[in-house]
Amino acid sequence: MASTRVQRIEEIISHSRNTYHIQFMDYRANHLSQGVIALARLDANIDQIKRFEQEYVAKRGLEDKLPVTMEITKENFKDYIGTQKNEHYSPYLKYFSDLVSERGWESVLREYYPGGYRRLCGLIISWNYSYWTWN
């Protein structure tokens, strides 16, 4: 039963990550995944979590995830860091998610962020919070 609950929570987070953009109204951050994880850790049932998801989306006016219109590669990944343009989020998410799937998060972290966790707190939270929490 517990594994079914975890699977449903992972589905909700995955749906959120694959459907909604990380920012909305140009600057506000989408914290839907963090809310789902917090409710799950507080032992909310799936119906409560789904209701939260629906209300969060409706009240916040989340925007659809932007399509990947460019490719981030090992050669160009530094070129767009710090630009804070919404259209760069999806390509970076794809690039780093693919790397983590291929090599594991520890390997990726060592190569791309040798300064360690302290320097990455904000990025980890907004980049791929659900991955770090559930794996």
Side-chain angles (χ1 to χ4, degrees), residues 22-37:
I22 192 69
Q23 290 183 321
F24 60 101
M25 297 179 161
D26 292 327
Y27 65 91
R28 295 183 183 172
N30 172 359
H31 292 101
L32 178 56
S33 294
Q34 291 91 327
V36 169
I37 291 166

Side-chain angles (χ1 to χ4, degrees), residues 74 95-113 131:
K74 186 173 180 87
Y95 177 69
F96 283 107
S97 293
D98 290 348
L99 281 178
V100 168
S101 293
E102 292 169 14
R103 299 178 11 202
W105 67 267
E106 291 165 325
S107 170
V108 173
L109 196 62
R110 274 194 302 277
E111 179 177 347
Y112 286 87
Y113 306 103
Y131 178 87

Side-chain angles (χ1 to χ4, degrees), residues 49-94:
I49 293 171
K50 285 296 289 178
R51 189 169 52 248
F52 166 78
E53 176 192 31
Q54 292 165 352
E55 290 178 10
Y56 188 93
V57 170
K59 288 182 181 179
R60 298 287 189 254
L62 297 186
E63 298 170 6
D64 289 342
K65 183 176 169 184
L66 296 174
V68 176
T69 57
M70 61 184 290
E71 183 179 10
I72 299 296
T73 65
K74 186 173 180 87
E75 291 74 32
N76 74 358
F77 88 95
K78 289 183 181 179
D79 295 349
Y80 306 101
I81 292 176
T83 59
Q84 295 189 358
K85 292 191 175 182
N86 284 344
E87 64 267 18
H88 296 152
Y89 176 77
S90 293
Y92 273 107
L93 179 61
K94 180 180 179 344

Side-chain angles (χ1 to χ4, degrees), residues 8 38 56 87 124 132:
R8 286 291 296 129
Y56 188 93
E87 64 267 18
I124 289 170
W132 301 95

